[in-house]
Amino acid sequence: MFRTRLSLAFAALVALVFVQAGFVYWGANRVNDYAQHSRLASDILSELLELSANKQRLRVWASQRLMNAEASVEVRDQLVTRIQSSAAKLKGLARRDHALWIEFSAREDTPIPPDVPKLVAVTDLLDQNITAVQSRLMRLTPMDHGADFAAVWHELNEVFDMAGGRDLRELVNGAIERQRVVVPEARAATERGLDALRRQAIGMAVTMLAVAAALALHLNRRLKQPLDQLLIGTQALQAGELGHRMAIGSRDEFERVAESFNQMAAELQQHRKAADEARHRLEAAVQDRTAELRVAHDALQRVDQRRRQLFADLGHELRTPATAIRGEAEIALRGQDKPPEEYKQSLARIVGGVGQLTGVIDDLMLVARAEVDQLVMQPHELDLLVLLGEVVEQAEALGQPQGVRVLLAPGHAPHGPPPTELPVHADAERLRRAVMIVLDNAVRYSRPGGEVRLGWQVSPQDVALLVSDEGIGIDADELPLVFERFTRGRRARAYRADGTGIGLSIAQTIIAAHQGSIHIDSRVDHGTQVRMVLPLSQRAPQTLSEGLPA
């Protein structure tokens, strides 16, 4: 099976990698030991030379001291300190070199050179010798004329050169000579180790490259033919040749791939056939449905045209008799031929009813004109603050019978005083009517003793009019329907029976005609807030300010 062959090939490559890594690791450790030994030998030689030179300088200082020459105590202390430092370093280096030779001997099965432990013993004698020299030099004083200089100098040399009954000078000089021989030998051993490591690495790399190349060629021959067949099959499917099938007979994983490919092609062929049949049926159904929708659309257009015509006819037909009735009623109220109070009250009710009828007619006419895009606007520059003041005065009269106060709440600007004017480009009468519709609704559905507030917010581009009340509110499920014509909510119908349900629709139409927007937010039994946004005129103040209902 091809999968087994591929696994064996990868296993062989991984084994070669591990073998190569083992050889490199072993060789690198060996070269590292050689390099450490070379560095230690060089450092030991350097410290031995430094120690010997400082002892010689200290010996010169002692002779100067005996001869009463210039020999300061500071120079002595500095030299002693240097000798102690060199001895400490030398002891550490000798012990490290000894430990390295022990490890190297255990791994390579070679004896430890006798000079290595001897050097450790020499460093131990150095500590005794330095202590003795320091103690003797502390007691050294200049000699008088006629004193036995040779005897004292002989004593000093004994102190300098002897330690533990052995000639330390001879030991140190011997160690120096041995290290001068060891240093080049250690460097040569390091170079030989590097050369051996390089040859091993190159040999393993060449072996691994050859094995990898052989495996690659073998796998390439085994993979090329089935992959080429699979590529030809996918290109055939891409070209739409769903009847193409791959050859079977290799008895390996590629045979199962070919079987799956053939099954997929057969299923795609069946799906295409089913999709073509479904598409033909859908096209026929779409054509039939399009014809039905065209007929229904024509019918709806005719119905809509008749509805618009009905609105126009109602407005035209009802306005004339209503105006005549109102005129007659006003004449009757001014006349003196009829009985006084009772007759006047009757006529007053007629006038009120006719006025209400006229308002409904005007509303219907506005809706009809808006539907046919014939709503005539006469915009001009005006001060919105003045218009708001006038509207609040009119709304106060509406609220007095119900005990509802209507307030203008301009508030204060967050960055300075509020502007003295809000210039907008609008139709004053239409805009006044839209605001009055909102205020009238707020007054109608407020409880006795409540408040309705009209405020504003200004941004650099537009102004938002905010009408807030403390009334009955609107149910959340009815908020999306408040702008639909002839729609009144459950709470509104229960609170007041009168009303047509087209006021907010008219307000929305007017605000939209001014390139603005209107939004409503309400909470049941907590009140409603209506937000009407209008664009400011180009000469509007650029400083942000606001007046919010409290």
Side-chain angles (χ1 to χ4, degrees):
M1 301 296 287
F2 185 79
R3 184 180 302 173
T4 303
R5 295 177 182 176
L6 190 62
S7 300
L8 291 175
F10 281 117
L13 289 177
V14 171
L16 284 175
V17 169
F18 276 108
V19 171
Q20 184 180 16
F23 272 105
V24 171
Y25 178 76
W26 177 78
N29 283 339
R30 190 177 182 187
V31 170
N32 183 57
D33 291 342
Y34 286 141
Q36 288 187 23
H37 176 60
S38 176
R39 287 194 298 269
L40 287 173
S42 178
D43 292 342
I44 289 172
L45 177 60
S46 176
E47 293 299 332
L48 284 171
L49 292 174
E50 180 70 16
L51 177 67
S52 179
N54 285 327
K55 285 193 69 176
Q56 187 64 31
R57 294 187 187 98
L58 193 59
R59 197 189 299 266
V60 172
W61 180 88
S63 65
Q64 293 175 347
R65 181 71 171 176
L66 290 174
M67 292 184 295
N68 200 13
E70 292 295 332
S72 65
V73 176
E74 290 79 5
V75 173
R76 178 198 67 193
D77 294 341
Q78 289 178 1
L79 291 173
V80 169
T81 301
R82 291 177 184 175
I83 292 173
Q84 289 174 341
S85 176
S86 296
K89 292 180 181 179
L90 187 60
K91 179 183 287 187
L93 292 171
R95 294 185 184 280
R96 285 173 56 192
D97 189 46
H98 188 213
L100 181 63
W101 270 108
I102 292 174
E103 181 181 351
F104 188 74
S105 176
R107 186 173 63 246
E108 299 289 336
D109 194 18
T110 57
I112 300 175
D115 295 334
V116 174
K118 287 182 181 179
L119 182 61
V120 176
V122 170
T123 58
D124 293 335
L125 293 174
L126 280 174
D127 291 337
Q128 301 176 15
N129 178 256
I130 293 171
T131 301
V133 169
Q134 184 179 14
S135 176
R136 182 65 184 88
L137 292 180
M138 295 288 291
R139 296 180 284 106
L140 189 65
T141 58
M143 297 182 63
D144 297 330
H145 291 288
D148 190 0
F149 179 82
V152 175
W153 183 246
H154 180 72
E155 177 199 356
L156 282 176
N157 285 332
E158 289 289 331
V159 173
F160 270 98
D161 296 336
M162 301 301 294
R166 303 183 66 181
D167 189 346
L168 187 61
R169 186 173 184 179
E170 180 180 351
L171 293 176
V172 171
N173 290 334
I176 291 175
E177 293 301 325
R178 286 193 297 273
Q179 291 300 317
R180 285 175 174 169
V181 175
V182 169
V183 168
E185 291 179 352
R187 290 178 179 173
T190 302
E191 292 178 357
R192 288 194 300 273
L194 287 174
D195 291 338
L197 179 62
R198 188 181 301 108
R199 288 193 299 272
Q200 291 174 0
I202 293 174
M204 291 300 300
V206 171
T207 302
M208 188 172 179
L209 182 61
V211 173
L215 291 175
L217 290 174
H218 174 70
L219 293 177
N220 180 59
R221 287 196 298 269
R222 291 289 299 138
L223 283 173
K224 188 176 184 305
Q225 182 178 0
L227 289 179
D228 288 343
Q229 292 180 358
L230 184 60
L231 179 61
I232 293 173
T234 55
Q235 291 175 346
L237 292 184
Q238 185 178 5
E241 300 175 7
L242 299 183
H244 180 82
R245 298 294 183 268
M246 291 182 61
I248 297 176
S250 59
R251 297 181 180 179
D252 54 13
E253 289 83 355
F254 290 105
E255 181 176 354
R256 291 196 291 271
V257 172
E259 291 175 351
S260 299
F261 179 88
N262 293 339
Q263 292 175 3
M264 179 186 67
E267 291 180 2
L268 287 176
Q269 194 172 18
Q270 293 176 359
H271 288 319
R272 171 177 286 185
K273 182 178 179 181
D276 291 339
E277 294 175 354
R279 179 171 55 82
H280 291 313
R281 291 194 300 270
L282 183 59
E283 288 177 353
V286 167
Q287 291 178 356
D288 296 340
R289 187 59 177 168
T290 302
E292 294 175 0
L293 290 176
R294 187 179 295 109
V295 173
H297 176 68
D298 295 339
L300 286 175
Q301 282 189 327
R302 291 192 296 270
V303 171
D304 185 62
Q305 183 64 30
R306 289 196 300 268
R307 181 179 57 82
R308 294 181 183 181
Q309 186 63 42
L310 175 61
F311 273 117
D313 292 343
L314 284 174
H316 177 73
E317 295 297 332
L318 293 178
R319 182 180 295 276
T320 301
T323 303
I325 292 172
R326 186 172 183 175
E328 291 295 335
E330 290 175 349
I331 292 173
L333 287 173
R334 291 196 299 270
Q336 300 296 327
D337 297 333
K338 295 184 179 181
E341 297 300 329
E342 186 176 336
Y343 189 45
K344 289 182 179 180
Q345 291 176 0
S346 178
L347 291 177
R349 286 193 296 271
I350 294 173
V351 171
V354 172
Q356 184 178 4
L357 179 60
T358 303
V360 173
I361 293 172
D362 290 339
D363 291 343
L364 293 174
M365 289 295 294
L366 189 145
V367 171
R369 291 193 183 101
E371 285 189 346
V372 295
D373 298 329
Q374 293 180 355
L375 184 61
V376 179
M377 303 294 292
Q378 297 179 352
H380 60 278
E381 292 290 332
L382 59 92
D383 185 359
L384 187 59
L385 293 180
V386 175
L387 186 143
L388 295 181
E390 297 173 354
V391 170
V392 168
E393 291 179 359
Q394 296 176 12
E396 286 178 352
L398 296 176
Q400 287 178 357
Q402 297 179 226
V404 177
R405 293 188 301 166
V406 181
L407 305 175
L408 180 63
H412 299 282
H415 305 291
T420 57
E421 63 175 2
L422 290 175
V424 295
H425 192 69
D427 187 324
E429 292 304 321
R430 299 287 192 189
L431 186 57
R432 181 182 289 107
R433 185 173 184 186
V435 179
M436 276 300 300
I437 288 173
V438 177
L439 287 173
D440 181 51
N441 278 355
V443 170
R444 283 173 177 267
Y445 301 110
S446 293
R447 297 182 178 88
E451 289 184 354
V452 175
R453 292 176 176 265
L454 173 60
W456 43 264
Q457 290 179 339
V458 178
S459 69
Q461 292 81 23
D462 52 44
V463 57
L465 306 181
L466 304 176
V467 178
S468 302
D469 64 58
E470 303 169 351
I472 62 175
I474 304 171
D475 291 327
D477 61 328
E478 293 180 341
L479 274 176
L481 309 176
V482 293
F483 293 110
E484 293 187 5
R485 295 163 190 164
F486 308 108
T487 299
R488 299 186 69 212
R490 294 183 296 272
R491 303 179 66 82
R493 293 193 301 269
Y495 192 74
R496 294 193 60 151
D498 59 335
T500 60
I502 62 173
L504 288 177
S505 175
I506 294 173
Q508 184 187 44
T509 300
I510 294 174
I511 296 298
H514 286 85
Q515 307 302 316
S517 62
I518 180 171
H519 307 279
I520 293 183
D521 185 22
S522 182
R523 294 174 58 196
V524 174
D525 293 328
H526 286 79
T528 302
Q529 184 182 73
V530 181
R531 181 184 181 90
M532 295 172 284
V533 181
L534 296 169
L536 281 172
S537 176
Q538 292 298 323
R539 64 185 186 90
Q542 296 301 314
T543 302
L544 290 179
S545 58
E546 61 180 343
L548 300 175

